[in-house]
Structure formats: structure tokens, C-alpha cells
Amino acid sequence: FNVYYKAYDDTLRAYVDQDTSTAPPQGSPFAYYGSGRWNYSYWHSYIYGGDLQVYVPVYSHRLTLGASLEKPFFQDTKLGRNTPFDTPGSLSLPMDQWDQDYLNPWRNVQYSSFYVQDEMKLNPDYTLTLGLRNDSFSETGSTINGIVNLVYRKGENTVRATVGKTGRFPTLKELEGKAGNPDLLPEHAY
């Protein structure tokens, strides 16, 4: 059984050279950056979650049942503004006042998973592991992943063969913020 809480406060401060010939593209998250001055972003994030695993020995099997839940929260500055009505990028507050910048509303998502794994001792040399996992993400739905793993051990030698499907959902930070992309989809690997 595991329960956790993580908190982050991040600041990005960037100086844009006034002699630069390259401007950020209009419509990009950095288009508001002004040249010849400091520009900044500030954001908070925290994550809480937990997981539970239960091991059940059944004859030559080791059955693992588990579940996990994670809920991240994210909040960032609104294009360097002190209030939502200021011109984007118009302010350059002293560092000790960055946390007073106008912040977007908190954003959160939820990740959860349920899984079962059966590790079977076929004989003294061979172990077969079968696993099935349902991962869910509040933004895009769920995916079923699985694995088959065969291990041969003889003395100090080990040979392993694995076939499976796995996936990764985008993090809240990858979806939100100035450099985030809200259209990211889950990644899959076989």
C-alpha cells in the first residue's frame, strides 16, 4: 500500500535579445514574449495518489492484483499578466512577486489502473508470466495492455522472451501551460 503527495512551484525567466531577427511565430505559446526585456512564466502543480498491491500464492502460481489512482493539478500564469485585462507580456515583476501574477484556473485530470499478473513456475527452469492491465485517463478513455514473458534459467544463464503492449498517457503538464498541447493522444508501444 502506498499513498503520496508531490508539490512543485516552477518559474521560467527568459531574456529575449532586442537585436534578435527571429520572433516567435504568431499564435505560438511564446508569441507574447517581448524583445529587449525579461519575460517569465510561473506555475504550480501538485499530484496526489496511491496504489495497492496484493500477492496471492496459489500452488505454483504467484498472483498479483493491483490498483492505482493519481490526480494531478496544474495552474500557470496567463501570458505573464498581472490581471486578465493587462496586455500579454506587458509586466516584468520583481522575482519575489512572481507568485502574485494572474493565474489561470486550476486544471486537473485523473489516471487510474487495475491489473492482474500471474507468475507460473512451469518447472525448475521455466517461469511464465501473464499480465493484463486496464489504464484509464479522464481525458481520453481507457486502454487494455498485456504482457507474456517466458524466462529460462539454468545455472548462471538466463534467457528471456517477452511480448506485450504498453501505453503512456500525456501528463497534465504536457497538455497544459504555454508549451502544452491539449490535443496530445496516448502513446502505444508493442
Side-chain angles (χ1 to χ4, degrees):
F1 179 71
N2 178 36
V3 175
Y4 56 88
Y5 172 82
K6 303 173 191 175
Y8 306 93
D9 282 324
D10 300 308
T11 303
L12 169 65
R13 185 172 166 103
Y15 184 80
V16 178
D17 185 15
Q18 63 186 356
D19 298 325
T20 186
S21 60
T22 306
Q26 287 301 316
S28 79
F30 301 101
Y32 69 91
Y33 272 25
S35 61
R37 69 167 185 254
W38 284 97
N39 298 270
Y40 67 93
S41 297
Y42 179 82
W43 62 92
H44 312 288
S45 60
Y46 67 92
I47 301 169
Y48 68 85
D51 56 63
L52 173 66
Q53 282 188 345
V54 177
Y55 301 101
V56 181
V58 180
Y59 301 108
S60 62
H61 298 257
R62 182 177 185 217
L63 196 60
T64 304
L65 304 170
S68 67
L69 175 68
E70 182 174 280
K71 194 152 182 81
F73 292 80
F74 179 85
Q75 181 183 45
D76 72 338
T77 58
K78 187 146 183 114
L79 304 179
R81 296 186 253 192
N82 198 35
T83 74
F85 309 106
D86 289 336
T87 305
S90 62
L91 300 176
S92 189
L93 297 174
M95 187 182 292
D96 63 346
Q97 295 177 21
W98 285 358
D99 63 344
Q100 298 169 20
D101 188 16
Y102 171 72
L103 294 170
N104 284 321
W106 282 100
R107 173 95 162 80
N108 67 70
V109 295
Q110 181 171 303
Y111 304 94
S112 61
S113 63
F114 301 94
Y115 52 93
V116 61
Q117 177 176 293
D118 187 4
E119 185 177 309
M120 299 168 269
K121 195 74 169 166
L122 302 177
N123 64 41
D125 299 332
Y126 288 94
T127 303
L128 177 66
T129 303
L130 304 173
L132 194 59
R133 181 181 183 106
N134 178 2
D135 291 308
S136 296
F137 179 45
S138 59
E139 302 296 297
T140 59
S142 63
T143 181
I144 303 290
N145 299 306
I147 189 168
V148 177
N149 183 30
L150 181 64
V151 177
Y152 169 77
R153 282 194 180 97
K154 191 71 165 179
E156 294 183 20
N157 299 315
T158 301
V159 177
R160 181 182 312 257
T162 303
V163 176
K165 175 187 174 261
T166 187
R168 185 184 85 83
F169 294 111
T171 66
L172 186 53
K173 208 169 197 178
E174 291 170 336
L175 293 169
E176 295 292 323
K178 290 175 191 44
N181 180 353
D183 297 324
L184 285 178
L185 297 174
E187 299 173 2
H188 301 283
Y190 298 90

